[in-house]
Amino acid sequence: MTSRVDRIALLAVPGLAYLAVIYALPLLMLLAKSVQTAEGFLLSEYRAFFADEYNLRVLWRTLRVAALTTLLALFIAYPTAFVMSRAKGPWLTVFLVAMVLPMSLGVVVKAFAWSILFRANGFINTTLQWIGLTEKPVRMLFTETALVIGAANVFLPFMVLPIYAVVRQLDRGLPEAAASLGAGPFFRFFNVTLPLTLPGVVAGSAFTFSMAISMYVIPSLIVGERQQTLSMLIARSFLYLRNEPLGSTISAVLLAIAIFVVVFSSWLARRLGARQ
């Protein structure tokens, strides 16, 4: 039995070796570069990064944009998932195609499309002036609001699908049973429906936040260099400043945030599963 298990475990060796060479080794080199100095391995780059007020503002802006993007995507995705769970036949196919098909398009295409919509002569400003809500174009492009809206649209499928997978498995008789006992709609939602769908909300939020905090193409096309994010700061450090220690340090900070989000969401999912 043991030898059979060992032979089966050997099948994972090529995959593990591939991950070690392609992923783990470059990551270790990146982390080593962030602490490597002329005097040895020190944390001076990290101290310099967190001592710089500009870097702290960029860090706060990145976290804020990622959080707002996640909240906006959740606000749209939650009712969408319920509508999809109740759709049948061709309507369900339409919803699934509408969710999955945009994922096949490149991020550059979708981000560039939003940059066109937000222009002064774009569709949104033209429509607002045509219906008389504004007399002149409203500044939308190169704003944080435009970035949040565009990012939420790009990452929306990653929020909808996990929630839909959970909602699809819900017993529809539970809210009806609560209603038969005199529970109102708000009580049914906050005490029956919402707790049962929280695992999907946690998973979708973790996916969306992790991608939003590390996005590069979307802010580059929608806000440009006016409002830097951590990913844009990393690109500038490596490509323009040729400062590899700084770029490696920022990359390590971004990686630490992403790991924290994954670990925290996993812990929260286990707690929610234990309560149910």
Side-chain angles (χ1 to χ4, degrees):
M1 181 65 181
T2 304
S3 60
R4 181 182 179 184
V5 172
D6 293 339
R7 288 196 300 269
I8 295 176
L10 288 175
L11 297 176
V13 172
L16 294 175
Y18 176 82
L19 291 176
V21 174
I22 301 299
Y23 179 75
L25 182 60
L27 182 59
L28 290 176
M29 295 173 61
L30 183 71
L31 295 177
K33 182 65 85 172
S34 68
V35 296
Q36 186 178 7
T37 63
E39 293 78 18
F41 293 96
L42 301 173
L43 298 177
S44 56
E45 288 292 338
Y46 291 92
R47 289 194 294 268
F49 174 80
F50 287 106
D52 192 324
E53 292 185 2
Y54 176 77
N55 292 334
L56 294 179
R57 287 199 300 270
V58 173
L59 175 60
W60 167 243
R61 181 184 302 120
T62 304
L63 293 172
R64 183 176 65 245
V65 168
L68 292 175
T69 299
T70 303
L71 289 176
L72 179 58
L74 177 60
F75 179 78
I76 300 173
Y78 199 82
T80 303
F82 275 87
V83 173
M84 289 177 59
S85 67
R86 286 163 172 75
K88 296 180 180 179
W91 283 110
L92 178 58
T93 303
V94 169
F95 278 116
L96 290 176
V97 170
M99 286 292 106
V100 177
L101 186 60
M103 298 172 64
S104 63
L105 297 176
V107 178
V108 176
V109 176
K110 291 182 282 189
F112 191 72
W114 276 106
S115 68
I116 295 175
L117 289 175
F118 286 130
R119 289 177 181 175
N121 59 347
F123 176 78
I124 298 177
N125 266 310
T126 302
T127 303
L128 291 176
Q129 295 177 75
W130 181 69
I131 62 179
L133 289 180
T134 59
E135 297 181 356
K136 58 181 181 180
V138 180
R139 183 174 178 269
M140 297 180 183
L141 199 60
F142 306 116
T143 63
E144 188 173 295
T145 301
L147 175 58
V148 170
I149 294 174
N153 171 262
V154 173
F155 301 135
L156 184 62
F158 298 95
M159 180 70 80
V160 173
L161 295 178
I163 300 176
Y164 166 74
V166 174
V167 173
R168 187 78 173 175
Q169 300 176 6
L170 288 182
D171 186 355
R172 299 183 183 181
L174 293 177
E176 296 176 0
S180 65
L181 296 174
F186 287 100
F187 183 90
R188 295 198 303 270
F189 176 76
F190 287 105
N191 292 275
V192 179
T193 304
L194 182 60
L196 293 175
T197 56
L198 278 180
V201 172
V202 172
S205 299
F207 283 139
T208 305
F209 188 89
S210 298
M211 291 184 292
I213 202 172
S214 59
M215 59 183 175
Y216 172 73
V217 174
I218 302 173
S220 298
L221 292 176
I222 295 181
V223 297
E225 297 293 329
R226 298 188 180 185
Q227 298 187 35
Q228 293 275 332
T229 61
L230 283 181
S231 58
M232 299 172 68
L233 212 58
I234 293 171
R236 189 181 69 170
S237 300
F238 279 111
L239 300 178
Y240 301 108
L241 301 179
R242 301 296 181 182
N243 191 339
E244 293 184 0
L246 176 59
S248 301
T249 300
I250 304 173
S251 301
V253 172
L254 192 60
L255 177 63
I257 296 173
I259 292 175
F260 173 79
V261 171
V262 173
V263 172
F264 177 76
S265 62
S266 299
W267 172 82
L268 187 58
R270 288 196 301 268
R271 288 290 300 271
L272 294 173
R275 289 183 180 180
Q276 296 177 10

